Amino acid sequence: MTETAGDPRGFEQVRPVRLYERIVEQIEEAIARGELRPGQRLPSERELVVQFGTSRATVREALRVLSSNGVVRSRPGDPNGPEILPVTAGGLTKQMRRLARAEHLTLAQLLVSRMMLDSTANRLAAILRTDEQLAEMEAAIERMRGAVSGGYTSFSEADFAFHEAIARASGNTLIQVSNAVVRDTVLSLISDKIAHARNSKALMKRSLTHHEQVLTAIREGDGPAAAHASLHSLYDYYASYVPASERATLKALLAN
């Protein structure tokens, strides 16, 4: 008697792949392998139709997707063909923002990501920062102090400048981009609630205190203290907006 390989109900349905997606994949893979480099040109639209053995409409859709993703610059009627663009932080930011929104991440998931990214950036900044970068952080803190009475918008702008200075000082572009995307996504969900909270001024003062602790730790080169202060700052400022049933993961980070 022949044995079967298990219950086939565990398989997933096969997803049809559109032809233009195959073209996008091939071009992106060629770039990843270094066969296509920034500044080089793809063949003309007509030549691509021949090479891929597909319709002009399919090639145009693939080029539209690649152009939208910042991979190529394609101009209608350009006889030289689409230009391969360099990878930039701006392009990466755009893609990560799109991903964060498409995945419908919960506020708790976003905050966990931000706590981990922020604390890591602070730890690195405490070791790697220059005097000029430290001066940027100090200037941002001064702006935060002056903005407490000026309202949430001014305070938030100064807060943003502080975290951007730290992210740059970490020396890691991926941390900088990822942190900015997560921070923007979190604020898009709850900024109105924070701005109109009855205790918004008290929240800003408490946040300022934590940021001053982070600055002190970075100034003294104490990475663990900078990371610890960052975790507590974010938890205290945002945890009340997360359902109580989902706060366990956030609290777990504070124990480290």
Side-chain angles (χ1 to χ4, degrees):
M1 182 177 178
T2 304
E3 294 184 1
T4 59
D7 187 350
R9 289 176 296 179
F11 292 130
E12 296 180 359
Q13 291 185 355
V14 177
R15 184 179 70 87
V17 179
R18 297 173 181 174
L19 289 177
Y20 80 84
E21 293 177 324
R22 291 297 191 196
I23 296 175
V24 170
E25 287 174 2
Q26 286 194 50
I27 292 174
E28 289 182 335
E29 286 170 3
I31 293 171
R33 291 193 300 267
E35 296 169 6
L36 290 172
R37 300 181 181 278
Q40 289 184 325
R41 298 273 186 164
L42 291 174
S44 68
E45 188 177 284
R46 180 178 297 178
E47 292 176 58
L48 289 173
V49 168
V50 174
Q51 288 190 28
F52 287 114
T54 187
S55 69
R56 177 163 287 188
T58 300
V59 168
R60 284 179 175 172
E61 180 62 15
L63 293 176
R64 186 195 66 78
V65 171
L66 289 166
S67 179
S68 175
N69 291 345
V71 178
V72 304
R73 177 165 47 228
S74 179
R75 299 184 180 92
D78 187 346
N80 297 316
E83 180 185 0
I84 305 297
L85 296 176
V87 177
T88 64
L92 179 59
T93 300
K94 181 178 179 181
Q95 290 302 309
M96 290 188 66
R97 282 190 176 131
R98 185 178 296 169
L99 175 64
R101 293 190 178 107
E103 291 297 318
H104 303 293
L105 300 174
T106 66
L107 180 58
Q109 291 172 321
L110 289 164
L111 285 175
V112 165
S113 299
R114 185 172 176 196
M115 289 170 74
M116 294 177 70
L117 288 165
D118 221 53
S119 60
T120 301
N122 288 7
R123 185 183 292 266
L124 289 171
I127 301 168
L128 302 174
R129 59 86 180 166
T130 64
D131 291 341
E132 291 78 11
Q133 289 166 337
L134 180 62
E136 288 180 23
M137 299 174 210
E138 291 172 338
I141 287 289
E142 281 302 315
R143 287 173 56 194
M144 289 178 73
R145 290 192 185 107
V148 169
S149 301
Y152 171 75
T153 300
S154 299
F155 186 85
S156 181
E157 291 173 354
D159 183 16
F160 176 84
F162 180 73
H163 288 288
E164 279 291 287
I166 290 176
R168 286 193 297 272
S170 75
N172 189 301
T173 301
L174 189 56
I175 287 179
Q176 185 176 347
V177 170
S178 300
N179 213 351
V181 170
V182 173
R183 180 177 59 240
D184 290 350
T185 307
V186 167
L187 290 176
S188 72
L189 295 175
I190 59 174
S191 59
D192 284 345
K193 293 180 181 178
I194 297 174
H196 297 99
R198 284 182 291 182
N199 64 336
S200 62
K201 191 169 184 178
L203 283 173
M204 287 187 283
K205 286 182 177 180
R206 192 163 64 197
S207 177
L208 175 60
T209 298
H210 282 303
H211 283 67
E212 288 171 336
Q213 292 170 352
V214 169
L215 178 62
T216 297
I218 291 176
R219 185 187 294 116
E220 295 175 353
D222 190 339
H228 181 79
S230 173
L231 290 171
H232 282 270
S233 172
L234 290 168
Y235 183 86
D236 286 352
Y237 200 67
Y238 292 113
S240 61
Y241 299 98
V242 175
S245 59
E246 299 178 22
R247 292 178 198 165
T249 308
L250 278 67
K251 288 182 179 178
L253 293 176
L254 300 181
N256 296 329

